Amino acid sequence: MNILSGFSDKELQSAYIDAYNMKMFNFTALPPLSLYVHIPWCVRKCPYCDFNSHSSDGELPEKQYIASLFADLEHDLPDIWGRPVQSIFIGGGTPSLFSAEAIDELIGGLRMRLNLDPMAEITLEANPGTIETGRFAEFKNTGINRLSIGCQSFNNEHLQKLGRIHNAQDAINAAESAHAAGFDNFNLDLMFGLPEQTLQAAMKDIEQAIALSPSHISHYQLTIEPNTMFHHSPPVLPKDETNWAMQEQCEQLLVEAGYGHYEISAHAKHGKQCQHNLNYWQFGDYLGIGAGAHAKISSAAEQNITRSWKHKHPDKFLAASTGKHISGTSILSRQDAVFEFMMNALRLKQGFTKTLFTERAGLPIHQISKALDVAEQRQLITHDISRIQTTEHGWHFLNDLIAVFLEEES
Ligand SMILES: C[S@@+](CC[C@H](N)C(=O)[O-])C[C@H]1O[C@@H](n2cnc3c(N)ncnc32)[C@H](O)[C@@H]1O
Ligand code: SF4
């Protein structure tokens, strides 16, 4: 007797859908893994910033925080047992507020606990207002092999409007000290579309950045985020057309100077793309330790992708006992995985292969074939048998493009 007889078509159909949904993903290999470490303090809060950063009043609890970071990491280790870590990014906040001794202890402790690739890229974010002479050399001795320096602009008036704690000369000195300390790999962060900024001023900032010869330049358009001072009392920003002109003309300057444009805001000399950020954009895995840090881990055993995040406030994070640093977790649905993959990978200038999608999202390509067709019809992407790439038009309407994958999926 057929065991399925006695069920209606509707019941059978729903049983198939349940079975399909239970086998959520199909990971044939796990993606590369990186580690993000968050240091949540700054000298003072910038009026445009919505990162998890808190003004430091007085001495930082460096030792206590590093002990908490290790406790936090140890709890997460079973999720990544044996997997090599290919990059570490110490971000903030302002990690360069920590002493070289503290960073040394941090990196030593991470090396002891992790299977760290000997060639791993290890980046530290630095604010030019916190770098006295000799500090970069000390950081280099701890094993940091890449710096990311937050210059934002080389125009004193604009720096002042941004509430920065440094002036243009400090930013220039920071880049020169990075060279002097022997860093052959460092990034300068710049923003454009600043209050009352002209096209000429934005281009002058880029020219100054290029003259300092970093290996990498990030160029972000200033966005006004909720819960920031700029949101409460908005400054006068350049018009959209001016912002477009800034983006296009600055990009041209960067490309002419040998900085390849590989992600919407990122430009690098040959071979100097940020490995850590590339892993995010290619939907790799990462652990996140420290206040408010996020993680994304794929599991071959469970055939799922889990996101987790840590307590956001430094005091709550510091007060947590071992195993209690996690504030929340969620397991991605297939729809989440598609959307998050696209949100990252469509930012890459070279696009991505269909194989990368099936490997990293753990889903067959037909899951997105309808959305790909819609995006192509709207001229937002091109796609052939192997590669999907955002068009120039798609870059201008990136949010609309990503939304196609949300609409079609749902
Ligand atoms: C996490 S922040 C940390 C950098 C470091 N604390 C500093 O500001 O010197 C990284 C970069 O994000 C960019 N950024 C921060 N807030 C932004 C905003 N509202 N709009 C655009 N870019 C922003 C800045 O260029 C900043 O250097
Ligand atoms: S220094 Fe950097 S992280 Fe700190 S408040 Fe300013 S932009 Fe945000």
Side-chain angles (χ1 to χ4, degrees), residues 42 48-51 92-94 125-128 149-150 152 164 189-191 220-225:
C42 293
Y48 56 87
C49 176
D50 78 335
F51 286 88
T94 305
E125 266 183 351
N127 183 318
I149 305 172
Q152 319 311 347
R164 299 292 296 180
D189 273 343
L190 286 184
M191 294 195 293
Y220 303 107
Q221 179 173 348
L222 175 69
T223 54
I224 303 297
E225 305 290 343

Side-chain angles (χ1 to χ4, degrees), residues 98-405:
F98 268 28
S99 63
E101 292 72 31
I103 298 296
D104 194 41
E105 190 190 338
L106 172 62
I107 293 186
L110 296 178
R111 279 192 200 284
M112 270 168 51
R113 289 165 176 85
L114 294 167
N115 176 12
L116 186 63
D117 186 315
M119 300 299 284
E121 175 192 275
I122 308 180
T123 305
L124 179 101
E125 266 183 351
N127 183 318
T130 63
I131 299 301
E132 62 273 13
T133 318
R135 238 165 120 67
F136 279 157
E138 289 173 7
F139 284 140
K140 190 153 191 288
N141 289 336
T142 70
I144 300 288
N145 53 28
R146 185 174 183 274
L147 295 169
S148 180
I149 305 172
C151 297
Q152 319 311 347
S153 170
F154 295 100
N155 176 310
N156 281 331
E157 235 172 83
H158 291 135
L159 286 170
Q160 216 175 2
K161 284 187 183 137
L162 291 173
R164 299 292 296 180
I165 59 166
H166 58 87
N167 61 27
Q169 192 56 48
D170 295 329
I172 293 170
N173 293 348
E176 284 172 352
S177 320
H179 281 300
F183 280 99
D184 64 350
N185 197 8
F186 70 90
N187 167 57
L188 301 183
D189 273 343
L190 286 184
M191 294 195 293
F192 68 96
L194 306 179
E196 292 165 57
Q197 190 181 35
T198 60
L199 170 61
Q200 287 68 28
M203 290 174 73
K204 225 169 149 205
D205 275 349
I206 288 290
E207 280 160 0
Q208 174 64 78
I210 292 171
L212 291 166
S213 198
S215 52
H216 193 287
I217 296 178
S218 299
H219 195 222
Y220 303 107
Q221 179 173 348
L222 175 69
T223 54
I224 303 297
E225 305 290 343
N227 300 319
T228 59
M229 281 219 332
F230 273 1
H231 187 77
H232 297 301
S233 29
V236 179
L237 295 181
K239 292 196 167 71
D240 282 353
E241 308 85 83
T242 314
N243 282 329
W244 278 121
M246 287 178 184
Q247 192 161 348
E248 269 173 22
Q249 303 216 21
C250 291
E251 182 188 331
Q252 200 179 334
L253 288 176
L254 285 162
V255 170
E256 280 167 10
Y259 293 88
H261 190 190
Y262 71 101
E263 187 268 346
I264 207 155
S265 310
H267 304 254
K269 290 247 174 92
H270 183 68
K272 298 290 189 186
Q273 287 106 336
C274 174
Q275 296 307 307
H276 187 85
N277 287 342
L278 266 180
N279 192 41
Y280 292 145
W281 296 321
Q282 294 176 338
F283 210 47
D285 278 0
Y286 49 93
L287 276 185
I289 59 169
H294 283 236
K296 174 227 160 212
I297 299 292
S298 314
S299 162
E302 308 286 338
Q303 288 290 323
N304 67 13
I305 305 174
T306 307
R307 283 206 174 278
S308 59
W309 50 97
K310 306 295 168 53
H311 291 302
K312 205 168 169 192
H313 199 280
D315 293 344
K316 190 152 185 198
F317 180 83
L318 278 165
S321 50
T322 303
K324 303 282 182 210
H325 295 94
I326 295 181
S327 161
T329 59
S330 71
I331 294 188
L332 264 58
S333 65
R334 282 200 297 264
Q335 186 180 335
D336 296 335
V338 168
F339 181 65
E340 293 188 16
F341 179 96
M342 291 301 163
M343 210 163 65
N344 284 289
L346 289 169
R347 302 173 64 88
L348 291 167
K349 194 82 178 170
Q350 294 299 316
F352 57 91
T353 61
K354 291 182 177 173
T355 313
L356 190 84
F357 175 81
T358 50
E359 268 179 26
R360 301 287 161 89
L363 295 167
I365 196 73
H366 69 69
Q367 182 88 26
I368 54 166
S369 38
K370 203 170 154 208
L372 289 177
D373 289 341
V374 172
E376 194 177 33
Q377 277 156 20
R378 294 194 203 161
Q379 298 176 355
L380 297 165
I381 58 161
T382 55
H383 79 104
D384 59 19
I385 190 146
S386 63
R387 185 168 287 277
I388 295 159
Q389 222 169 334
T390 304
T391 58
E392 256 337 288
H393 181 63
W395 277 46
H396 286 210
F397 296 97
L398 197 59
N399 289 340
D400 296 349
L401 168 56
I402 295 163
V404 171
F405 291 88

